[in-house]
Amino acid sequence: MNEAARRRLKNRPPKPVAGWFFAVAAVCGVVARVIHLSNGPQLVAEILIVIAVALAAVSLVLKLRNWLKSRAGK
């Protein structure tokens, strides 16, 4: 195995986990907004908003971590 192949195996590209967290956060936010506007159960809407904010924060942390890792090698 040559040096380039070893480097690729050692430094695999990051998985798009942060994007999935952000997508789930967006869906939770939209569902919470629809529940809120339709005068549905407000407690459920508030819980979904809290979940959406938490998932968006996790997504931001993961993206920052990946960005910092990519900058560390340069």
Side-chain angles (χ1 to χ4, degrees), residues 4 7 10 22 26-27 34 36 39 41 44 49 51 54-55 58 61 72-73:
R7 231 180 298 125
K10 182 181 172 190
F22 191 74
V27 169
V34 167
H36 181 72
N39 292 327
V44 174
I49 289 172
I51 291 171
L55 288 173
V58 168
V61 167

Side-chain angles (χ1 to χ4, degrees), residues 14-69:
K15 294 180 182 176
V17 177
W20 285 105
F21 272 106
F22 191 74
V24 172
V27 169
C28 285
V30 168
V31 169
R33 184 73 176 150
V34 167
I35 291 172
H36 181 72
L37 289 177
S38 66
N39 292 327
Q42 296 301 312
L43 181 62
V44 174
E46 290 175 7
I47 290 172
L48 284 173
I49 289 172
V50 169
I51 291 171
V53 169
L55 288 173
V58 168
S59 173
L60 179 66
V61 167
L62 289 173
K63 285 187 182 210
L64 283 174
R65 197 172 127 220
N66 287 339
W67 181 74
L68 289 172
K69 279 185 179 180

Side-chain angles (χ1 to χ4, degrees), residues 2-13:
N2 62 13
E3 185 64 30
R6 275 196 205 112
R7 231 180 298 125
R8 276 195 304 273
L9 285 175
K10 182 181 172 190
N11 299 325
R12 294 186 178 177

